[in-house]
Amino acid sequence: MITGSLVALITPMTQDGHIDKPKLDALIEHHIASGTHGIVAVGTTGESATLTYDEHADVIRQVVQTVNGRIPVIAGTGANSTHEAIDLTQRAKDAGADACLLVVPYYNRPTQEGMYQHFKAIAEAVDIPQILYNVPGRTVADMSNDTVLRLCGIANIVGIKDATGDLVRGKDLIERTPDDFAVYSGDDPTAVDLMLLGGKGNISVTANIAPQAVAQAAELAIAGDADAAHKVDQTIAPLHSGLFVEPNPIPVKWAAAQIGLCEQKIRLPLTDLSDQYHETVLKALKDSGIKG
């Protein structure tokens, strides 16, 4: 089972809008050196929605090759087309990813039965560990806990990223799913509390900026040390709010540029962080001890 701090990695880009492959390699090395427990490549934070199909597969391949087995790599391969999700998942398996992260289909608003059949079809088509991803704030469609329980009976569906931020709902998932099914937080502000309830890790945006602290907080929370986990988490709490003043990954990519991790480049229809929020994010970096 993959556990701990799993960074939802940004995808660095050059000023002309191409994938910055040297910076991507540097980010991977930075995370491994900082104690990050796993990398999620080309998820929401990695701008999966604006990468071309080939770029998407190329980034997964590069991350797998650069990591070279040192930590797990989870590839974002979700789509609102079941056929496309199957193809991306197969490409990720062929590239050597350890697992795939599959978002609830967006825009077309499937029913609970449609979601079940979608994920079942992918799991049956590609033999790789698969993690469901429920983020109704983005997809509109919201996968119920009962649907998750139906899906966790499929052998290679091994977990879920719950980005609802609803701890009552997360606790219900943890209590009702089998012990070998991992519930991960997808919400940095509530991640420590979910892990203290039995969650297995945090698929984190904040880890892009504060990898050591997020990893330490995850280790402590999974070990059940509530006081120590909260103490560490409190040091980076300003980031948990500051990195979401505009839709992710706008603030985190801007913040990463301020501390030299990447260029300040993001693809349309996303735009650079609005001027009115520059001071807010800079203050979050300073208050968290990231930038002097």
Side-chain angles (χ1 to χ4, degrees):
M1 182 181 289
I2 300 171
T3 62
S5 173
L6 313 173
V7 63
L9 191 68
I10 58 175
T11 300
M13 297 175 184
T14 61
Q15 284 301 315
D16 60 3
H18 293 100
I19 307 300
D20 191 334
K21 294 183 177 182
K23 284 286 188 184
L24 180 56
D25 280 345
L27 281 176
I28 293 164
E29 296 300 339
H30 171 60
H31 278 286
I32 292 173
S34 299
T36 295
H37 302 107
I39 291 176
V40 177
V42 205
T44 304
T45 312
E47 294 178 73
S48 57
T50 57
L51 267 58
T52 69
Y53 203 66
D54 286 340
E55 285 175 330
H56 193 130
D58 286 346
V59 170
I60 292 169
R61 190 177 304 109
Q62 181 178 341
V63 173
V64 170
Q65 290 175 349
T66 302
V67 167
N68 194 26
R70 290 176 286 175
I71 57 176
V73 174
I74 302 169
T77 59
N80 63 347
S81 158
T82 306
H83 175 80
E84 183 177 332
I86 289 172
D87 192 45
L88 278 171
T89 302
Q90 184 63 55
R91 288 194 184 202
K93 179 186 177 181
D94 293 344
D98 296 284
C100 289
L101 180 69
L102 292 138
V103 71
V104 167
Y106 41 86
Y107 185 76
N108 46 20
R109 300 177 65 193
T111 63
Q112 295 299 313
E113 182 62 23
M115 293 179 210
Y116 174 78
Q117 294 296 340
H118 170 81
F119 290 116
K120 178 175 179 285
I122 301 164
E124 291 176 345
V126 189
D127 184 18
I128 187 173
Q130 296 175 22
I131 299 167
L132 310 171
Y133 176 16
N134 191 36
V135 57
R138 284 185 177 269
T139 63
V140 180
D142 184 357
M143 184 163 52
S144 71
N145 282 10
D146 287 342
T147 300
V148 176
L149 286 168
R150 290 180 69 194
L151 287 164
C152 73
I154 298 171
N156 55 328
I157 295 180
V158 300
I160 183 170
K161 174 184 176 181
D162 179 1
T164 65
D166 184 336
L167 291 171
V168 173
R169 184 170 174 172
K171 183 173 185 287
D172 178 64
L173 268 178
I174 291 165
E175 291 176 346
R176 294 169 67 195
T177 51
D179 290 343
D180 60 355
F181 185 85
V183 177
Y184 302 100
S185 174
D187 179 67
D188 278 303
T190 59
V192 162
D193 287 325
L194 187 70
M195 288 184 283
L196 287 166
L197 290 170
K200 301 303 182 183
N202 177 19
I203 299 178
S204 172
V205 175
T206 300
N208 282 283
I209 306 301
Q212 291 175 315
V214 175
Q216 185 181 8
E219 289 171 2
L220 291 165
I222 291 169
D225 192 338
D227 289 344
H230 280 129
K231 185 175 181 179
V232 173
D233 191 52
Q234 190 60 37
T235 67
I236 53 174
L239 291 172
H240 296 337
S241 56
L243 296 180
F244 294 93
V245 291
E246 286 191 325
N248 179 49
I250 291 173
V252 70
K253 209 164 193 190
W254 189 87
Q258 303 313 300
I259 58 175
L261 295 177
C262 66
E263 298 296 322
Q264 189 175 313
K265 181 64 180 178
I266 198 163
R267 282 190 182 172
L268 289 171
L270 301 180
T271 53
D272 285 342
L273 185 70
S274 301
D275 291 349
Q276 63 181 314
Y277 294 119
H278 287 192
E279 284 303 318
T280 301
V281 177
L282 285 172
K283 186 175 187 301
L285 289 169
K286 292 174 183 175
D287 290 350
S288 300
I290 305 298
K291 185 177 175 66

